[in-house]
Amino acid sequence: MDENITVLKGIGLTMYEAQAYVTLTSLIESTAFEVAEKSNIPRSKIYDVLKSLDKKNFIDIEDGRPLIYIVKSPVEVLTRKKEEIDGQIDDTITRLTNVYENGMNQVQAPIWRIYGVEKIINQEVEIIKRAKKTVNMRIGFLFEGEGKSLVKAFKNRPNLEVNILASPTCHINNEEFRIIDFFKENNINIQKANIPFVKVMISDSKEMLHTYTKFSEDKRNVIPETAIGIWNKYEEIAKNYDDRFMNQLKNIKKKEKVT
């Protein structure tokens, strides 16, 4: 099947409507008879098909004998349709996210295990997207590509308060990765701290993600296939960790002022 027809069907046109529109983009304007002939649409169907395309604002119809069917620019038509679909998707995301979060709050034991680097990073990004005011992180190591994903997510939330305490470096694929320098270069608030081989993300003192992994024998390289995340939505626990984080951050800043 023609890729253009597949896309047009995906945005709500029938097969015949898609065929007729694609045909008209090359004819620009034409009679129903010619559209039917060029598109292999039965003549008994073509008038209803073109009438429907007119209602959907994909073509114009010019009075006359015979009627002339004039195609509208694909840029105009598809850009408008894309904006409609994007708006519908955004509305659906908002509605379903509310349902999802309400459901999450009613779960009896809101703790989940997440296996695999990709899923863990995706969960971190989702937590950043959901955060209302703050995201605090303790970073003792990073997975491959994780730093870029975090920076991108933070930059998409410019009004979010972000605080990071991190070890200066870690090793990814036998190469040193300078954690502090990387986030500073991307204008993300980060402070040097003595962080063990663990990673914690806390959002709004309400949810948190602990991430653990095994390391190579020399304690340098992450073994990604051993990664596990513990996603915790017990607010009391998240607040306790967040309070400890903020106390550690304040103490570090005090020491910096003294020195």
Side-chain angles (χ1 to χ4, degrees), residues 198-212:
V198 68
K199 187 158 63 269
V200 183
M201 173 182 282
I202 312 166
S203 168
D204 296 326
S205 294
K206 292 184 177 181
E207 67 174 306
M208 58 187 294
L209 180 66
H210 262 102
T211 304
Y212 307 92

Side-chain angles (χ1 to χ4, degrees), residues 109-128:
I111 296 178
W112 296 264
R113 285 177 292 183
I114 303 170
Y115 296 98
V117 170
E118 183 178 354
K119 290 181 180 179
I120 290 169
I121 294 174
N122 287 342
Q123 186 60 49
E124 289 174 339
V125 171
E126 287 301 315
I127 289 173
I128 294 168

Side-chain angles (χ1 to χ4, degrees), residues 8 55 62 86 90 97 138-139 153 175 190 193 251 256:
L8 291 170
K55 284 184 178 179
E62 187 177 282
D86 286 347
D90 289 342
T97 297
R138 286 163 53 90
I139 299 177
E175 291 187 5
I190 189 167
N251 289 334
E256 286 181 349

